Every structure is written in structure tokens, then in C-alpha cells.
Amino acid sequence: MSTTEQTTSGFWKSMPLWKKILIGMVLGVIAGSIMGPDAELLKPIGTLFINTIKMLIVPLVFCSLVVGVTSMEDTRKMGRIGLKSVVLYLGTTAVAISIGLGLGIFMAPGEGINMTAGAAAPVAKEAPTLIQTLLALIPQNPINALASGNILQIIVFALGLGVALTLCGEKAKPAIAVFESLAEAMYKLTELVMKLAPYGIFGLMAWVTGKYGLDILMPLIKVVAAVYIGCIIHVLVVHCGLISTVARLSPVGYLKGLIAPASVAFTTTSSSGTLPSTIKAAREELGVSKGISSFVLPLGATINMDGTALYQGVCAIFIAQAFGIDLSMSDYMLIIATSTLASIGTAGVPGAGLIMLSLVLTTVGLPMEGLAIVAGIDRILDMARTSVNVCGDLMVSALVAKSEGELDESVYNKKTS
């Protein structure tokens, strides 16, 4: 190997992961623009990365939650942290959809389209009711829940097991040690898998760019613009505002810490799939303790839908305007309430937003045909909303850790220097 090659190799190895990811994204966009539909050939690179991420999800969530609960050694503390997390997650989700509705009204993306009901709409899965969601929380067979990747049921079982191990005292120490060892192994495996991120993201971005050109975006450019503007506003104003006013921390540290997981979320469009990267960033970039990150982040990957809720608001207004339907204030309030509650039972996987949107459209009486309009650009919107979901997870973990005295501010502030 020549001196130049050694220097280049050393430079790449020493480069921070987020910079590698950003380079992969940019090169992917360039490659996709040049190759066009032929960029489909690069998709397997991204698929390989997504598959390795999916491989981590169930064991990482399960082991992290069990370790997170047992590390607290105080069930009252766990209840307190859980309450704080849920309130913050649902509160910011309600704010996010309000921003989406406001931008939809202001930018009026659907005006002048003059659609009429009757166009073929994609078949959407029936969204679960709140009662069905609550009943489905308890797994009849925990092994089946683990095998099928039912994150909500896995969370409930892991929490129950963690509480039981804590209450068992000394007798549970060997089992706790096993879970701690497994969790550490999963963290190390996550570190190894994340080394593939720049290459996987390159393949995914090339494929997306090659498949979705400007031709498909032009008729719906206002919808895309409204969602992306709303996502930026939500992160910079709501998230950074809470970091500054509630946690009394510099928002710069938060923004630097979210770059890597937000980049992964942007390309994988999966909050659950990004979880390994989110946990890594929370601990190493923001200084959140293992106990808090292991409990708050898997919970957020399931119930926190800031970006998805914002997308609901924009798309609901867009569809109403496209079909010439006037919405009342009670309709707006119903959209906010429905989206916020529905976020609890929505999986953090690609395309889940369409399921939520079908629920919103049905609730306020908007044509389901509207899904056909949005489905064409759903992948583009999914990238932005998933990134905001992940950013919200990190924000809540930092706030909860700060309130519990479990935020290493030397780690957090180091990133702002």
C-alpha cells in the first residue's frame, strides 16, 4: 500500500461517523441522479445495512429495557421516569400536529387541485382502536412476541420481568448479570454494525434519488416543503426550546448529538431500526446514563411520533383542500386528539404513517382516496418525519436524564466546544 493510500485510509478511519454518513448521503444523491432508474442496482447495499439493523432490534430492546429497569433498583423511580417520558412524548406530539395543521392552512398545498372522490386509493390496513391497542399490550405468549417483533408487547414483558427481578433481590443477581452481559454484547454488536452505515446509506440514497426524481415531486412540492419546513421548526423551536428552558442546556450539544441517528433515520425511515444508533448517540454524545437511555429510548421508538403527527396535519389539510372540503375547529381538535392517541399503537417502521393517516381521514370524514395522492411521495415525507421522531426521542432522554441527575454534562458540553 502506497503512502497516499495509507494516509487516505487513516483519514477515513479517524473521521467521525456522522461525517462519513453525510458523505455517504451526498454521494448517494449524486450517484442516483446520474444513474436514474439504474440506481436500483445499488439498493441491495442499503438492504444489507437495514437487515443488519433489524437483526439488532428485538434483542437490543429487550435486554436494554431489562437492564434499564433493574439498574434503577427502585420501582417508584421507574414509574416516575415512565410518567415523565410519556407526558413529554404525547405533549410534543400534540404540538407537532398543531404545527402541521398551521403550515397546511398557511401554505395551502391542496388549493387549485380540484379532486373528486372516486379515484382508486391504496388499500390501507385498518388502524387499531385505542381499546384494541390497550388489550394488545399484554402478550399471551412472550416468546411469540419476541419472534414476531411486536415492540409494544416486548416492552411490556421486559418491564414486567425487570420489575420482578428487582423485587427478587439477591436471588435475581445471577439472572441480572446475564442480561447485563447480553446487553453489553448487543452494544458492541451495534458498534460493529454502525461501521456499515455510510455504505448502506449511500446505497439507499442512490436508490431513492434514482426512483423519485423531480418529476414526481413537482405536483406535490408544497406538501413536501410544508412537511420539511414543519420538521425543521419543530426541532429548532420546540426541541431546542425545551432543552434550553427546561433542562437549562445549550441546544448546540443536542443538535450535534442528533446528527448521526437523524441521518440513519432519514434513510432507513424506521424509528425502531434507528434505535441502536439513537442509544449510542444518547450515551456517547449527550451523556445520558445507561439506565435512562435503555428505558426511555425504546419506549420513544414506539410511542413518540412527533414527525409523523406533523405529517398528519399537513396531509389532512392538503387532502381537505384538494377535495374542496372545509374543516371546522372541532375537526382540527379531533385530528390533534386522534393523531396523538394513535401514535401510541403505531409501529416505528417504514410506511406506518399511512396507517395513521387513514385513521385521521376516517375520523374527520375526509375521502380515503386522498391516500392515493400522498402515497406517491410517502417515502420522501417518511424520511423527514422519521428523523424528527428520533430527534424527539433524544430530546426527551436528555430532559429526563437531567431531571433525574443522570446526565453527564461533561460529555454533553464537550460536544458544544
Side-chain angles (χ1 to χ4, degrees):
M1 181 181 292
S2 66
T3 303
T4 303
E5 291 175 330
Q6 290 177 339
T7 303
T8 303
S9 175
F11 178 73
W12 178 255
K13 288 181 179 179
S14 63
M15 185 182 294
L17 179 62
W18 68 266
K19 288 185 179 180
K20 294 180 182 178
I21 289 174
L22 289 180
I23 290 173
M25 289 178 63
V26 172
L27 293 178
V29 170
I30 294 173
S33 300
I34 295 173
M35 297 177 66
D38 291 337
E40 180 79 21
L41 296 173
L42 298 176
K43 187 182 177 183
I45 301 174
T47 302
L48 176 65
F49 173 61
I50 290 178
N51 288 345
T52 57
I53 287 288
K54 287 180 177 179
M55 174 184 69
L56 299 171
I57 295 173
V58 170
L60 180 65
V61 169
F62 184 68
C63 294
S64 294
L65 274 175
V66 172
V67 171
V69 173
T70 55
S71 66
M72 292 181 190
E73 298 182 354
D74 184 352
T75 54
R76 286 178 297 180
K77 179 181 178 181
M78 184 188 67
R80 184 173 69 247
I81 291 174
L83 180 61
K84 289 178 182 177
S85 301
V86 171
V87 169
L88 284 169
Y89 282 140
L90 296 186
T92 52
T93 296
V95 171
I97 192 170
S98 300
I99 293 174
L101 290 172
L103 283 171
I105 294 170
F106 176 73
M107 298 182 68
E111 286 189 358
I113 296 182
N114 300 321
M115 295 287 294
T116 56
V123 178
K125 295 180 180 178
E126 183 180 352
T129 65
L130 180 59
I131 293 177
Q132 289 174 328
T133 300
L134 293 175
L135 291 175
L137 287 176
I138 308 298
Q140 296 182 31
N141 184 341
I143 303 302
N144 183 59
L146 290 165
S148 62
N150 189 317
I151 298 297
L152 271 177
Q153 292 187 349
I154 291 171
I155 287 176
V156 171
F157 179 59
L159 291 177
L161 181 59
V163 170
L165 288 172
T166 301
L167 295 176
C168 285
E170 288 295 325
K171 292 184 178 180
K173 289 291 178 67
I176 293 174
V178 170
F179 280 110
E180 288 176 345
S181 297
L182 288 172
E184 288 299 324
M186 291 310 303
Y187 301 147
K188 177 56 67 174
L189 183 57
T190 297
E191 183 180 331
L192 296 175
V193 167
M194 288 309 297
K195 293 182 182 296
L196 299 174
Y199 311 101
I201 286 171
F202 165 78
L204 288 170
M205 286 306 298
W207 168 64
V208 169
T209 304
K211 185 174 182 180
Y212 300 95
L214 291 179
D215 290 341
I216 195 172
L217 290 179
M218 288 308 293
L220 298 165
I221 194 66
K222 281 190 176 182
V223 177
V224 176
V227 170
Y228 274 71
I229 290 172
C231 288
I232 293 171
I233 290 174
H234 192 67
V235 172
L236 295 182
V237 177
V238 179
H239 290 175
C240 289
L242 288 172
I243 288 286
S244 299
T245 58
V246 177
R248 302 291 183 183
L249 295 169
S250 168
V252 177
Y254 163 69
L255 292 174
K256 285 188 176 181
L258 62 77
I259 292 176
S263 300
V264 175
F266 189 80
T267 50
T268 63
T269 65
S270 171
S271 297
S272 296
T274 310
L275 190 56
S277 178
T278 310
I279 291 176
K280 187 173 185 293
R283 294 177 180 176
E284 299 179 7
E285 306 288 328
L286 302 183
V288 178
S289 70
K290 286 187 177 181
I292 297 294
S293 60
S294 296
F295 180 84
V296 173
L297 293 175
L299 182 65
T302 303
I303 73 170
N304 180 46
M305 297 289 165
D306 286 12
T308 305
L310 192 150
Y311 146 90
Q312 309 292 328
V314 173
C315 290
I317 296 296
F318 166 71
I319 291 170
Q321 292 171 346
F323 285 92
I325 299 172
D326 293 326
L327 297 177
S328 64
M329 183 56 67
S330 61
D331 289 328
Y332 294 137
M333 297 305 295
L334 193 57
I335 290 173
I336 293 173
T338 303
S339 297
T340 302
L341 293 175
S343 68
I344 297 175
T346 303
V349 296
L354 277 178
I355 300 174
M356 278 185 69
L357 182 58
S358 68
L359 174 60
V360 171
L361 297 181
T362 302
T363 302
V364 294
L366 292 174
M368 288 297 289
E369 288 88 344
L371 285 176
I373 312 172
V374 177
I377 56 168
D378 186 65
R379 175 78 185 194
I380 305 295
L381 302 178
D382 204 357
M383 294 191 295
R385 67 186 185 232
T386 304
S387 298
V388 175
N389 291 345
V390 169
C391 292
D393 295 344
L394 282 172
M395 183 271 298
V396 170
S397 72
L399 290 184
V400 173
K402 173 71 174 183
S403 69
E404 294 291 326
E406 296 191 31
L407 183 77
D408 188 339
E409 294 192 39
S410 64
V411 174
Y412 183 96
N413 292 324
K414 183 180 179 181
K415 298 300 174 182
T416 64
S417 60

